[in-house]
Amino acid sequence: LDQPALTTDVIVGFPGESEADFQATCTALEAIGCSRTNIFPYSRRRGTPAAEFVDQVPAEVKAERVERLQQLDERLRQRYLEQLAGRRLRVLIEGLDDTDDRRGLGTACRYVPVAVTAACGADLAAARRPGYRGQLVDVLAGPVRGGQLLALPLDESPANRRVAHR
């Protein structure tokens, strides 16, 4: 599988973390090209050895680093989504867009949010009935908007023909 979705969790501000350590983390994430980073500031837990370390990172430093890492995560996420444009993806439909009955919302096989717009002006309002959610749809990924891929269903599979003609 090319362009796999690589995700990770990062604890920011563990006792003793220097600015150089934090920069090394950012550099590694950029080099890896993570598609999503879950970011958590370190917090002391009574009874753990780290809670007693003397080199605790100040709360304001942790907060600033979390913000910087969130900005990096957004850039890397955008870059990853843009690399998927033009690719065939399989999407699990999880619901409908409340503002557009022609748009199903779901998650692609690469753990990315996708808005699937019905082809040929088809109306997906019927998709509100039970059974539509949970359906797998093969799509052609398009541009990125609002942190999600926009996509059109492909007509090759029988399931997609049902979706495209609703």
Side-chain angles (χ1 to χ4, degrees), residues 24-90:
T25 298
C26 293
T27 300
L29 292 172
E30 188 128 24
I32 293 166
C34 289
S35 61
R36 170 70 73 185
T37 302
N38 298 302
I39 304 160
F40 305 95
Y42 167 79
S43 58
R44 282 181 155 171
R45 297 289 188 254
R46 196 173 346 160
T48 64
E52 305 305 320
F53 291 176
V54 295
D55 50 356
Q56 299 290 320
V57 176
E60 60 274 5
V61 172
K62 284 190 280 190
E64 187 264 336
R65 289 179 183 167
V66 164
E67 184 176 323
R68 287 167 46 202
L69 199 53
Q70 287 170 334
Q71 291 171 359
L72 174 61
D73 177 53
E74 288 174 22
R75 286 193 311 274
L76 293 175
R77 180 79 165 165
Q78 179 74 17
R79 183 172 74 190
Y80 180 74
L81 291 172
E82 288 170 355
Q83 291 172 350
L84 295 177
R87 293 178 180 265
R88 180 186 181 129
L89 301 173
R90 179 155 281 188

Side-chain angles (χ1 to χ4, degrees), residues 7-165:
T7 64
T8 191
D9 295 346
V10 174
I11 297 174
V12 175
F14 190 81
E17 178 186 77
S18 67
E19 179 62 26
D21 295 332
F22 176 73
Q23 282 301 319
T25 298
C26 293
T27 300
L29 292 172
E30 188 128 24
I32 293 166
C34 289
S35 61
R36 170 70 73 185
T37 302
N38 298 302
I39 304 160
F40 305 95
Y42 167 79
S43 58
R44 282 181 155 171
R45 297 289 188 254
R46 196 173 346 160
T48 64
E52 305 305 320
F53 291 176
V54 295
D55 50 356
Q56 299 290 320
V57 176
E60 60 274 5
V61 172
K62 284 190 280 190
E64 187 264 336
R65 289 179 183 167
V66 164
E67 184 176 323
R68 287 167 46 202
L69 199 53
Q70 287 170 334
Q71 291 171 359
L72 174 61
D73 177 53
E74 288 174 22
R75 286 193 311 274
L76 293 175
R77 180 79 165 165
Q78 179 74 17
R79 183 172 74 190
Y80 180 74
L81 291 172
E82 288 170 355
Q83 291 172 350
L84 295 177
R87 293 178 180 265
R88 180 186 181 129
L89 301 173
R90 179 155 281 188
V91 176
L92 174 65
I93 301 296
E94 298 165 306
L96 284 181
D97 186 329
D98 290 336
T99 62
D100 185 349
D101 277 351
R102 294 184 52 236
R103 188 171 291 156
L105 301 176
T107 302
C109 53
R110 296 173 192 234
Y111 190 55
V112 295
V114 180
V116 181
T117 301
C120 307
D123 186 0
L124 290 178
R128 292 196 186 282
R129 72 176 193 272
Y132 180 69
R133 283 178 179 82
Q135 190 172 92
L136 290 172
V137 178
D138 292 319
V139 303
L140 180 64
V144 180
R145 289 216 183 95
Q148 66 184 2
L149 282 170
L150 302 182
L152 291 174
L154 294 171
D155 292 334
E156 288 105 24
S157 75
N160 288 343
R161 280 197 283 283
R162 284 195 307 275
V163 171
H165 297 294

